[in-house]
Amino acid sequence: MELHETEVKVPAPVTAEMVVHSLREVIKFLFFVRQQMPCSYDDLKSSLLAAVGAEALGLPATEEVGADSRVEVQGADGARAAPAPAARPRATSRERLAVKFFRELDALLGCLTPELLQTLRPTEVALFFGSSSLRPREIFSFALEQLPASYATHCSVPSAKRVVANAARRVIRECIPTVASCPPAASAMTAFLMVKAPCRALSGAG
């Protein structure tokens, strides 16, 4: 198995939210460029929302396509109500498979949380592709040892959200040369998310 390395920097102040968002976005990127999904995560999500709706994907109704554009109308009795959405055709077998894949990928991404980083202080996060986690065909590892000993406090304001989003885009850009030097991807493989944390953190979390 070939080894490819690159150094990726994130801007200060480093928050757990910034690191988690960057890791999630890179994992989505890797699934696409390593040909484990036919399109980008965002394109897949948009097409499935339009085809099967948010509920089928396990997403809140606010994610629904056109949810913000529904307008309340005046009823005969004076009550105001939003028009009921049109019934969707039954999902095809291909759409059901896509929904299953999306939900599994979303569950994998959901394992990465700011709380996990703050509690366990993992030193490494890795994405394995292969038939087994014991014998993966591809490993994409992210070393976190050089991150600050304690994360900065995250602020939920628009400017902070832009910083987090820009950091993720920068991480992806810096990963592109390394990923591009990898050999062609194999066919569809199972993905495994691995987290390495100090033993003292694991015992303390229990």
Side-chain angles (χ1 to χ4, degrees), residues 11-69:
V14 179
T15 65
E17 288 77 7
M18 176 187 294
V19 176
V20 164
H21 181 70
S22 297
L23 287 171
R24 288 176 178 173
E25 293 302 304
V26 171
I27 288 173
K28 294 175 188 177
F29 167 74
L30 288 172
F31 263 85
F32 177 44
V33 298
R34 299 310 291 162
Q35 300 175 21
Q36 300 306 301
M37 55 196 302
C39 58
S40 70
Y41 174 91
D42 290 337
D43 286 346
L44 178 63
K45 178 180 176 181
S46 296
S47 62
L48 288 177
L49 280 172
V52 300
E55 184 178 359
L57 300 180
L59 299 174
T62 52
E63 298 271 6
E64 197 80 52
V65 175
D68 296 334
S69 61

Side-chain angles (χ1 to χ4, degrees), residues 18 21-22 25-26 163-173:
M18 176 187 294
H21 181 70
S22 297
E25 293 302 304
V26 171
V163 170
V164 168
N166 290 338
R169 285 191 284 269
R170 176 178 176 177
V171 169
I172 290 175
R173 284 197 303 270

Side-chain angles (χ1 to χ4, degrees), residues 90-166:
R90 184 172 179 174
T92 64
S93 59
R94 188 172 182 176
E95 287 171 342
R96 289 194 294 270
L97 286 173
V99 167
K100 181 176 182 293
F101 171 84
F102 180 89
R103 296 191 68 143
E104 289 175 350
L105 175 54
D106 235 27
L108 182 145
L109 296 171
C111 293
L112 290 171
T113 64
E115 293 73 23
L116 180 141
L117 264 60
Q118 292 166 337
T119 303
L120 299 185
R121 294 298 309 186
T123 56
E124 186 177 357
V125 173
L127 179 67
F128 290 6
F129 285 129
S131 58
S132 166
S133 61
L134 299 178
R135 300 184 65 183
R137 298 187 63 174
E138 298 183 5
I139 298 177
F140 297 93
S141 177
F142 304 91
L144 308 179
E145 297 103 326
Q146 296 185 15
L147 291 177
S150 59
Y151 290 106
T153 302
H154 177 69
C155 299
S156 297
V157 296
S159 59
K161 292 180 180 179
R162 285 194 297 271
V163 170
V164 168
N166 290 338

